[in-house]
Amino acid sequence: MSTIDEIKSRIDIVDLVSETVKLRRSGKSYTGFCPFHHNTKTPAFAVFPDSGTWRCFGECNEGGDIFKFVMKKEGWDFSEALRYLADRAGVKLEKMTPEKKAAEEEFERLRALLEEAASYYHSLLRTPAGQAALNYLYKRGLTQETIETFGLGYAPDSYEATMSMLLGKGYAVEELKQAGMVNERDSGGVYDKFRNRITFPIRDAAGKMTGFGARILNPEDQPKFLNSPQTALFDKSHLMYGLDRARKTIRGNDQVVIVEGYLDVIVLHQAGYTNTVSPMGTALNEDQLRYLKKYTRRIVLALDADAAGEKATLRGLDLARNALDREEELVFDAHGLLRHEARLQADVRVTTMPPGMDPDEVVLQDAAEWQRILDRAKPIVVHVMETLAAHANIDDAKVKADIVAQVQPLIEDVPSAVERDAYRQQLARLLRLDERTLLGTQRVRESSRRRHTRVDGLPAERPSAQETHVEDRGLALETHCLELLLSKPENVYSLDRSLQAANLTRLSRNDFSSAAYQQICELLLQALAQDQLDTQEYVRQKLSEELQEALQQLLHANRFAEEKNEDKILEDLIRSVMNLRLIRVNEALSQLRFLQQEEKEDEEDESDQKDWMKKTLEFTLLRGKLDRALAQSVLTS
Ligand SMILES: [Zn+2]
């Protein structure tokens, strides 16, 4: 994923725009008053969360993505907008500066420090002090080989043993702090962070040291499980325990299994299930899933029966469980997971342990049982509905209604219309309901939701398969037009002549919706206006560095190099631009229809209606022109 895409995927355009514009939902998009032109009557400004774009259908008649929005709002150029949005999204902009090089060298030193600590702890397992720790690991079913492989160890029961070992190796106190190996006293001194604990070295996907997890030996100690503090190296949101050893199998099996505890990971690897990892935090976040998606899109969540069970199905468990090798309970958040799943186009499934058992216990008892548990993994929605039904008396109408109320919002979160239908059928079968009853509840719920929705962080309603298709077609056409333009820039003149002959406006950056495409179009027109010799080269030189990748993709495609018939290329361009505009006009019209509908229900004053009718008329006329022009081009070709 490019930096630009990464930023876009992390920033919700509805959140961003809502900071300036009061939005309200209408169908699959949001509308409000355009912040860029004076208007109080007609909310002609629309935001489309699915494509991450916005558009003013009023005076401005322009639109774009989050970059364009921020550029226009703040009057910034692209790189200023990029810096702001990257910062907001928590995305680092890569550039190898001397400072960065120095920082990288410092990281190397901290990693080496952590390696020293890991091998020190490991060596202590072989001493009398570490005997209890070693015995514990054997008792939990680990072999000597596994203990070696995972580099497990023992942190001595001392406030300065580890510290003086590291200082003896030439490290500074400041470095011990940066690596998260010591705690600071109020008085200013430092002391060892990990004491009398079993240590689990935590490595990144490349196998480099980042920190430690540590569990108690003395049942009186608190907390039971302790991780390194957040440091430059130890970033919980990007780490998965075991990923360095699991990576290869995850790719090979095209599946990753997520369990809760570090010991679960180790015991499963020992039993040959080497595609297993564990998250550092308690809730799976999108960063972690996105990270895993580099290896596979098929993700199985193995939850223990409590977490998946009656109390916790939808909310996650609040009380921390006393599991010995877990930092905290892994929270199962069905809504959040579904959203991540949709956004990342991943396939997330859930499976549960037999009641009262943890994965390590399951696999130590019968290694083959683990495979059967994995085979039972189900889509999130199915998991939730079955779990709810399994713990309830579904002959009770109230109970049925309650389950429907919990499951239905999840079903509506699923982007695919086909899947939604299948889930509704499944729910109806499970609760022995007539499926039409479910559809009935759905309509009532949706229409009341529409009328009263504020921007409340709920996901936008998903477009149906057909609507998605239209959105994709719009974007695909934008790409196609730019590819055609880049391959033969001088075609713009003929294109503009055709457009003007049909009483349509000339090509402009506003025909495109992303900042990248808008800039590329702008530069291309500039190059022609300045009579530049090499248009492509001009665009390449002037384009922001961060948008080069988009340009490369357009040029790389170069699908028209083979096309000898130049008329065909021109004709394709003219029709594509017209079709693109037709799609946008139809979008605007359905938007306006929706607004009129909604206002009728709200019975607000009639002047709004008049404005909308005027706008509707404008767009209808425009659509007529486009339709005629397209029909004409068929006749003449
Ligand atoms: Zn406007």
Side-chain angles (χ1 to χ4, degrees):
M1 201 189 307
S2 75
T3 311
I4 307 287
D5 291 336
E6 171 110 26
I7 293 170
K8 281 189 185 179
S9 76
R10 288 196 195 196
I11 293 181
D12 185 344
I13 189 168
V14 176
D15 288 347
L16 180 78
V17 174
S18 293
E19 287 168 12
T20 338
V21 183
K22 196 159 173 273
L23 291 175
R24 63 178 196 163
R25 181 150 68 192
S26 63
K28 60 165 184 156
S29 51
Y30 291 78
T31 50
F33 292 107
C34 176
F36 305 128
H37 76 270
H38 179 74
N39 59 152
T40 48
K41 284 225 176 297
T42 315
F45 183 83
V47 174
F48 307 97
D50 292 313
S51 58
T53 56
W54 58 273
R55 183 157 283 273
C56 167
F57 291 114
E59 210 172 293
C60 309
N61 194 26
E62 66 176 323
D65 53 14
I66 49 173
F67 291 93
K68 180 68 191 304
F69 183 82
V70 173
M71 284 157 76
K72 198 164 162 66
K73 186 181 141 222
E74 307 290 348
W76 288 341
D77 66 17
F78 182 79
S79 55
E80 286 169 313
L82 175 69
R83 273 201 299 278
Y84 167 78
L85 290 172
D87 186 44
R88 189 182 157 118
V91 170
K92 287 204 184 69
L93 298 174
E94 297 295 333
K95 258 209 182 99
M96 219 14 160
T97 57
E99 299 84 53
K100 200 181 164 219
K101 228 175 132 200
E104 199 46 53
E105 279 161 15
E106 181 56 31
F107 282 174
E108 274 314 318
R109 218 176 128 74
L110 295 180
R111 286 189 195 108
L113 182 160
L114 290 167
E115 286 291 357
E116 289 285 1
S119 56
Y120 169 65
Y121 291 151
H122 184 64
S123 71
L124 290 184
L125 279 182
R126 296 268 152 245
T127 65
Q131 192 58 48
L134 189 61
N135 287 345
Y136 176 83
L137 293 172
Y138 284 148
K139 208 176 81 210
R140 289 296 294 263
L142 272 57
T143 65
Q144 182 51 42
E145 198 193 340
T146 303
I147 294 169
E148 297 288 337
T149 306
F150 283 86
L152 306 185
Y154 171 70
D157 194 5
S158 151
Y159 282 86
E160 73 279 310
T162 309
M163 186 165 62
S164 49
M165 182 280 293
L166 289 169
L167 295 176
K169 297 269 180 191
Y171 292 101
V173 172
E174 190 50 40
E175 289 175 313
L176 266 62
K177 284 189 205 167
Q178 283 168 15
M181 291 303 295
V182 288
N183 289 337
E184 282 181 71
R185 287 184 212 279
D186 292 341
S187 58
V190 295
Y191 59 96
D192 286 352
K193 181 172 184 66
F194 304 110
R195 301 177 310 278
N196 196 27
R197 282 170 182 266
I198 293 173
T199 56
F200 301 76
I202 296 172
R203 297 170 184 279
D204 65 15
K208 291 181 180 166
M209 272 303 286
T210 63
F212 289 96
R215 81 169 295 288
I216 52 161
L217 268 175
N218 176 359
E220 306 289 301
D221 288 349
Q222 288 292 339
K224 296 218 145 85
F225 210 91
L226 188 64
N227 275 329
S228 287
Q230 187 86 11
T231 67
L233 293 180
F234 192 78
D235 178 0
K236 275 186 170 194
S237 67
H238 279 84
L239 288 169
M240 284 272 176
Y241 183 70
L243 186 58
D244 55 320
R245 316 200 64 85
R247 228 160 27 130
K248 236 175 105 186
T249 325
I250 293 173
R251 276 222 173 94
N253 295 11
D254 190 17
Q255 182 194 57
V256 60
V257 179
I258 295 176
V259 295
E260 295 185 35
Y262 299 169
L263 270 175
D264 293 329
V265 171
I266 295 173
V267 172
L268 282 162
H269 275 249
Q270 180 176 286
Y273 297 104
T274 52
N275 60 339
T276 317
V277 299
S278 170
M280 300 286 133
T282 55
L284 274 175
N285 64 38
E286 192 169 327
D287 278 344
Q288 292 169 326
L289 293 180
R290 179 177 295 117
Y291 197 52
L292 286 177
K293 228 198 93 182
K294 286 204 276 193
Y295 305 101
T296 179
R297 50 184 289 278
R298 295 172 57 214
I299 297 162
V300 175
L301 206 55
L303 297 172
D304 68 46
D306 293 344
E310 55 268 48
K311 296 166 286 187
T313 308
L314 293 176
R315 269 158 229 102
L317 207 61
D318 293 333
L319 43 136
R321 213 179 50 150
N322 284 338
L324 293 181
D325 49 276
R326 286 167 178 76
E327 192 183 18
E328 266 175 274
E329 189 79 19
L330 187 57
V331 174
F332 175 65
D333 166 15
H335 266 296
L337 282 171
L338 273 171
R339 239 163 277 163
H340 301 333
E341 182 182 47
R343 214 175 326 211
L344 299 173
Q345 294 180 309
D347 173 9
V348 182
R349 282 164 197 258
V350 184
T351 192
T352 47
M353 298 309 116
M357 288 185 88
D358 289 329
D360 61 331
E361 294 166 329
V362 170
V363 80
L364 285 171
Q365 205 173 73
D366 175 10
E369 178 61 18
W370 185 250
Q371 189 56 52
R372 289 191 284 274
I373 287 174
L374 293 185
D375 293 342
R376 285 202 296 269
K378 295 187 174 114
I380 299 164
V381 177
V382 176
H383 164 77
V384 170
M385 67 173 91
E386 287 186 354
T387 309
L388 287 172
H391 295 277
N393 171 18
I394 57 161
D395 291 328
D396 183 336
K398 273 214 164 66
V399 172
K400 271 193 211 190
D402 187 44
I403 295 177
V404 170
Q406 294 191 66
V407 177
Q408 201 134 34
L410 290 180
I411 295 180
E412 299 317 314
D413 262 7
V414 174
S416 147
V418 178
E419 272 180 61
R420 279 200 304 270
D421 278 350
Y423 291 150
R424 278 196 202 104
Q425 281 167 19
Q426 229 165 322
L427 182 61
R429 262 203 314 276
L430 194 67
L431 299 180
R432 297 195 289 276
L433 281 170
D434 186 338
E435 203 191 323
R436 279 167 301 179
T437 321
L438 285 183
L439 285 171
T441 6
Q442 182 52 26
R443 267 191 212 110
V444 174
R445 211 173 59 81
E446 266 188 8
S447 68
S448 72
R449 185 164 66 174
R450 243 174 227 148
R451 221 170 307 157
H452 304 290
T453 327
R454 306 151 292 129
V455 177
D456 50 9
L458 285 171
E461 283 170 54
R462 302 279 175 200
S464 68
Q466 205 184 354
E467 284 167 323
T468 312
H469 183 70
V470 169
E471 189 52 60
D472 290 344
R473 220 182 124 224
L475 292 176
L477 267 177
E478 287 187 17
T479 306
H480 186 65
C481 290
L482 269 190
E483 283 171 0
L484 286 166
L485 280 168
L486 284 165
S487 73
K488 262 192 120 14
E490 60 281 9
N491 269 345
V492 167
Y493 301 121
S494 309
L495 168 70
D496 281 346
R497 271 196 301 277
S498 297
L499 289 171
Q500 284 177 307
N503 217 351
L504 295 161
T505 55
R506 304 198 313 189
L507 180 84
S508 84
R509 57 184 295 154
N510 286 325
D511 282 305
F512 301 94
S513 55
S514 74
Y517 283 7
Q518 289 184 345
Q519 255 203 47
I520 291 169
C521 174
E522 180 85 7
L523 290 170
L524 190 137
L525 294 175
Q526 229 172 64
L528 290 168
Q530 295 174 12
D531 223 2
Q532 294 284 338
L533 275 178
D534 187 340
T535 312
Q536 282 190 8
E537 191 48 38
Y538 179 85
V539 175
R540 200 200 321 267
Q541 278 177 12
K542 296 267 170 172
L543 192 66
S544 313
E545 193 185 328
E546 299 79 11
L547 301 179
Q548 292 288 344
E549 197 180 322
L551 178 66
Q552 279 316 310
Q553 275 170 11
L554 291 168
L555 292 175
H556 185 69
N558 201 16
R559 285 186 275 127
F560 314 101
E562 297 298 303
E563 179 63 70
K564 291 287 184 301
N565 188 339
E566 303 210 335
D567 287 349
K568 259 199 171 151
I569 295 183
L570 175 61
E571 190 195 311
D572 189 2
L573 176 67
I574 294 170
R575 292 185 55 80
S576 298
V577 169
M578 287 179 179
N579 273 317
L580 176 60
R581 288 187 181 178
L582 196 59
I583 287 175
R584 301 300 179 216
V585 166
N586 281 326
E587 272 172 11
L589 281 169
S590 69
Q591 203 64 40
L592 284 161
R593 236 186 342 265
F594 217 99
L595 285 168
Q596 280 170 300
Q597 192 66 39
E598 201 160 84
E599 286 307 302
K600 248 181 221 149
E601 286 173 15
D602 287 0
E603 289 170 10
E604 272 178 26
D605 71 288
E606 286 176 10
S607 55
D608 280 3
Q609 291 283 345
K610 261 188 215 144
D611 270 358
W612 282 318
M613 277 156 74
K614 213 174 101 202
K615 278 267 164 260
T616 306
L617 188 65
E618 268 172 41
F619 281 114
T620 313
L621 286 173
L622 180 55
R623 182 166 65 179
K625 284 187 214 166
L626 285 164
D627 279 335
R628 276 192 300 279
L630 278 162
Q632 199 73 34
S633 74
V634 173
L635 290 177
T636 51
S637 66

